Amino acid sequence: MELARKSGFVFCKRRIKSYYGAFTYCSEAAGWERRVVSGLQPTGALHVGNYFGAVRRCVRLQQAGDDLTLFIADLHAHTVPQDPELLRRRSLEAAAFLLASGVDAERGVLFLQSGVPAHARLCWLLACLATQARLAHLPQYRERAAAARDVPLGLLLYPVLQAADVLAYRATHVPVGADQLQHLQLTAQLVRTAHHRFGRLFPTPAPLLPDDGSDRIRSLRDPAKKMSKSDTDPKSRILLSDTDDEIRVKIKKAVTDFTPEVSFEPATRPGVANLVTLHCLAADKLPEEATEEAAGLSTAQYKRVVSDALCGALAPVRERARRLLARPELLRELLRHGAARARARADPVYGEVAARLGLTPATPASALPAALRLR
């Protein structure tokens, strides 16, 4: 298995540790309780890249015994204009698919980001430790700003809010793909700055990188690009809500090349390698196993194998999500309950940070004497 991974299926861990030296820091050794925090944006329907790269990874971490805090990042969604009703609906859909995928909301914490004010409050304090030059240097900001006529300030502060998202819970580990390492590096820098000025407040979160290629799922129509919610071609992605027939049609139309044999060569045959990756993720196989089983098949025939594997993996999730979405008030109540539990964790952290910075933490209205409460 290790040989398969070193051949190009994932990044070499030695290179990551040498380039991102801050990530070699061991949070647990410094006395922090291990805690995993992750978020998922409700902008657009979830696709298989989100599922294999984020959702299923969180489920497996939780099943392995990790303390998981998981939120739906509706504040992050507002870096682009949003229709309020659509955002609310997509937030519920995200919650339904998280639960349908196996997230246990009782063992962990599942909530809407906007339901916990500590995220935004801590973001402001961290933003005062960051610099415009550092934030503008991040690759994702430069790419998105280059395509925008008027750049919203929220786009610049996006990674600071990401830092607040995890530091509010004193996360020790964050599941990320390779393209998010720059943002986690910024978080580590903000932690060091805060410690230098105010004393030890947070652990330095370490990245949990995938070892199965799940953060590298490509567009079905253009394998040079990652699969994305924002792609204008709906055939470029497989949605978790797609029917079996829709999945089969999209895989059938996936771009490959003119070589009929199936092989796993991401650099030279990205379209075929993407199919192999999807097959491996859906069927829990290694690339060598998948290509060995595909010996003698043309890429057209292999597409049917990939479709079968995806339909088998996604159909139960789709059906469970459908049943949950038929009970929207249950989902809303579950998210309200999760937000209350998240506040019980985040508010004391924010209160300690505020005290160190000479601020007064907010007092809940319920804690005020009755005579002082607004009626």
Side-chain angles (χ1 to χ4, degrees):
M1 182 178 291
E2 195 62 25
L3 288 176
R5 292 172 179 170
K6 288 182 179 179
S7 67
F9 203 53
V10 296
F11 277 74
C12 171
K13 292 181 180 178
R14 186 177 298 111
R15 287 181 59 196
I16 289 174
K17 286 186 178 180
S18 64
Y19 189 76
Y20 299 95
F23 295 147
T24 59
Y25 173 88
C26 178
S27 299
E28 294 160 299
W32 300 101
E33 180 182 354
R34 180 180 169 102
R35 181 168 291 169
V36 177
V37 176
S38 185
L40 189 71
Q41 274 213 51
T43 49
L46 298 181
H47 55 68
V48 291
N50 306 131
Y51 176 69
F52 291 122
V55 177
R56 194 173 70 169
R57 288 178 63 202
C58 287
V59 170
R60 291 181 172 180
L61 286 166
Q62 188 179 48
Q63 291 172 342
D66 269 319
D67 181 338
L68 177 68
T69 297
L70 185 59
F71 62 91
I72 296 163
D74 51 349
L75 291 178
H76 280 294
H78 280 280
T79 55
V80 296
Q82 295 291 332
D83 175 273
E85 284 304 317
L86 182 58
L87 180 61
R88 277 191 280 268
R89 188 174 79 241
R90 285 177 170 168
S91 296
L92 278 190
E93 289 173 355
F97 275 105
L98 286 168
L99 294 166
S101 300
V103 170
D104 188 334
E106 292 303 316
R107 286 178 54 193
V109 185
L110 175 64
F111 61 99
L112 287 174
Q113 181 189 30
S114 59
V116 183
H119 289 247
R121 290 173 178 168
L122 186 56
C123 175
W124 169 251
L125 299 182
L126 293 174
C128 293
L129 303 179
T131 65
Q132 189 271 343
R134 178 68 179 91
L135 297 177
H137 183 69
L138 293 169
Q140 290 191 14
Y141 171 79
R142 294 204 309 269
E143 292 169 9
R144 293 179 63 181
R149 183 174 179 179
D150 294 311
V151 182
L153 184 58
L155 189 60
L156 184 70
L157 293 178
Y158 185 96
V160 181
L161 181 55
Q162 281 187 321
D165 292 335
V166 298
L167 296 181
Y169 304 95
R170 289 182 166 145
T172 59
H173 294 80
V174 182
V176 293
D179 58 349
Q180 286 292 320
L181 280 173
Q182 288 273 358
H183 287 178
L184 204 54
Q185 188 185 31
L186 173 69
T187 300
Q189 181 180 334
L190 291 172
V191 168
R192 290 193 298 272
T193 302
H195 287 188
H196 177 71
R197 296 189 186 182
F198 311 114
R200 192 163 173 262
L201 285 166
F202 311 106
T204 300
L208 293 173
L209 291 159
D211 61 359
D212 55 6
S214 57
D215 63 335
R216 292 287 164 180
I217 296 176
R218 319 307 297 175
S219 163
L220 297 178
R221 302 301 297 162
D222 181 1
K225 301 189 300 185
K226 282 188 69 174
M227 188 174 287
S228 171
K229 298 176 185 177
S230 59
D231 196 310
T232 55
D233 187 348
K235 292 186 176 66
S236 68
R237 57 191 173 271
I238 293 173
L239 304 180
L240 298 191
S241 57
D242 281 344
T243 65
D244 286 357
D245 287 345
E246 288 170 330
I247 291 172
R248 294 182 192 283
V249 168
K250 289 180 179 181
I251 291 294
K252 184 177 181 180
K253 294 182 178 296
V255 171
T256 53
D257 53 36
F258 297 106
T259 303
E261 293 81 12
V262 176
S263 63
F264 185 71
E265 302 170 63
T268 57
R269 304 189 69 197
V272 177
N274 194 41
L275 293 177
V276 174
T277 298
L278 289 170
H279 182 199
C280 290
L281 292 169
D284 281 327
K285 296 179 183 293
L286 290 171
E288 287 84 349
E289 295 172 326
T291 53
E292 184 178 339
E293 290 178 16
L297 297 180
S298 66
T299 52
Q301 293 169 322
Y302 182 60
K303 285 180 176 181
R304 290 195 287 270
V305 175
V306 177
S307 296
D308 289 343
L310 285 169
C311 290
L314 300 179
V317 175
R318 182 176 66 235
E319 177 56 26
R320 288 193 292 268
R322 184 191 65 79
R323 292 198 298 267
L324 286 166
L325 286 167
R327 305 176 67 187
E329 193 48 48
L330 172 67
L331 289 172
R332 294 189 189 99
E333 180 57 32
L334 186 148
L335 291 170
R336 284 193 291 267
H337 177 65
R341 294 175 64 204
R343 288 195 296 272
R345 287 186 168 187
D347 287 354
V349 175
Y350 175 78
E352 183 178 344
V353 174
R356 293 276 189 96
L357 272 65
L359 304 175
T360 302
T363 302
S366 59
L368 293 173
L372 296 180
R373 297 178 198 169
L374 292 175
R375 300 184 184 279

